[in-house]
Amino acid sequence: MRKRLPGWLADAALILYFVFSLFPVAWMAILSLKPANQLFSTYFSFTPTLDAYRTVLGGSEGIPFVRFFGNSLVVSVGAVALSLVVGLPAAYASARWRFKGSEHLMFTLLSFRFAPELTVIIPLFVLYQKLGLFDTYTGMVWVLQLVTLPLVVWIMRSYFADLTPELEQAALLDGYSRTQAFFKVALPLVKPGIAAVSLLAFIFAWNNFVFPLILTSHEAQTVTVGALSFLGGDRPKYHLTAAAALVSVVPPLLLALTIQRYLVRGLSFGAVKS
């Protein structure tokens, strides 16, 4: 019993932490199921209803949340696709060719990711107004790839670095060009990594709040900003905001479940070098 006690205590602590972590999500679910007249009068004793979800998805409050949802899908998928098209060759090149200043160049690229978004939002707002990119899909895709591209390059760089160069050299000896060796040899071997980085990039693009808040007004507005529309007015509608927030979680969750097999391999890829 004494030997098992530390294990039991560790399991109990893990369960308590798990419950603590999920409590905000459970609270949001409870709020979304409450009727409007019971939002502030009760906590756990109420008559559950799906009226909040019908209101949010039906747009009866004058807020086109479904369109905001579609906007988020378009700009997030577009940003991830653009980042993969540009970032995969860049990651491969940075892993295979080293030159003086290459590490500084990569660090500069990474600095775009961890630099505060508020430091660039005012110049971007002015440029977007001048170039006609304000409140457009093109503008949102272009700015969100600033968030996702450094992530793609840095993560995929480590995947390509873990591949032995002899595989590509053998392909070159067989008559492949460098481009063919990249697409037919290197790229298929890092598919799990591409799946993992695509999911992470999609989540970062989907959850971004500052850029859609400042660089959109209505046409290209995303769910992160659109969900806050229900908090306006003389009495905030917390149940509608909770329902909108839970609906907005669905795409990243479904994507994670869909590519779960590749995601597990991708996150562990390169842990042991051959």
Side-chain angles (χ1 to χ4, degrees):
M1 293 292 292
R2 290 181 179 178
K3 292 181 179 179
R4 295 180 180 179
L5 184 60
W8 290 344
L9 292 177
D11 291 341
L14 185 62
I15 292 173
L16 287 176
Y17 179 77
F18 181 73
V19 172
F20 174 79
S21 301
L22 286 183
F23 182 76
V25 180
W27 189 258
M28 293 281 283
I30 291 173
L31 274 179
S32 67
L33 295 174
K34 280 187 173 184
N37 58 358
Q38 296 183 17
L39 278 179
F40 307 101
S41 59
T42 61
Y43 288 100
F44 299 105
S45 178
F46 61 92
T47 305
T49 178
L50 296 177
D51 289 344
Y53 293 94
R54 296 189 188 97
T55 301
V56 168
L57 298 177
S60 57
E61 288 287 324
I63 299 173
F65 182 79
V66 174
R67 185 160 63 81
F68 296 157
F69 189 91
N71 292 345
S72 287
L73 283 177
V74 171
V75 299
S76 298
V77 171
V80 173
L82 180 61
S83 297
L84 290 177
V85 170
V86 178
L88 289 177
Y92 176 75
S94 65
R96 288 290 181 261
W97 290 281
R98 303 295 176 89
F99 53 90
K100 186 178 181 180
S102 60
E103 293 299 324
H104 297 291
L105 179 62
M106 293 300 297
F107 182 79
T108 301
L109 177 65
L110 183 62
S111 66
F112 295 147
R113 178 65 195 91
F114 58 70
E117 295 169 349
L118 293 176
T119 59
V120 298
I121 195 63
I122 295 178
L124 278 176
F125 177 79
V126 175
L127 287 173
Y128 270 44
Q129 291 282 5
K130 296 288 186 180
L131 298 175
L133 295 175
F134 180 78
D135 200 23
T136 62
Y137 292 140
T138 303
M140 284 307 303
V141 169
W142 185 256
V143 75
L144 287 179
Q145 63 86 30
L146 296 177
V147 177
T148 57
L149 181 60
L151 188 71
V152 170
V153 173
W154 267 90
I155 293 180
M156 292 308 302
R157 182 194 189 200
S158 64
Y159 286 102
F160 286 119
D162 286 337
L163 293 179
T164 175
E166 283 78 6
L167 294 173
E168 296 138 60
Q169 292 171 5
L172 295 176
L173 290 175
D174 287 340
Y176 282 28
S177 65
R178 175 62 70 173
T179 302
Q180 290 174 325
F182 169 68
F183 281 106
K184 295 184 179 181
V185 177
L187 208 58
L189 293 175
V190 295
K191 282 183 178 180
I194 296 175
V197 78
S198 297
L199 174 62
L200 293 176
F202 180 84
I203 291 174
F204 275 100
W206 182 273
N207 291 339
N208 191 272
F209 177 77
V210 175
F211 288 142
L213 178 65
I214 304 300
L215 300 179
T216 64
S217 61
H218 189 72
E219 294 299 325
Q221 195 172 102
T222 61
V223 290
T224 52
V225 180
L228 297 181
S229 303
F230 298 105
L231 293 178
D234 56 345
R235 187 174 182 179
K237 302 175 178 62
Y238 296 112
H239 60 309
L240 299 183
T241 304
L246 290 177
V247 171
S248 66
V249 174
V250 173
L253 184 61
L254 290 179
L255 183 61
L257 293 176
T258 302
I259 65 173
Q260 184 178 12
R261 177 167 60 93
Y262 296 101
L263 182 62
V264 173
R265 285 189 60 197
L267 293 177
S268 60
F269 187 84
V272 179
K273 291 187 177 182
S274 56

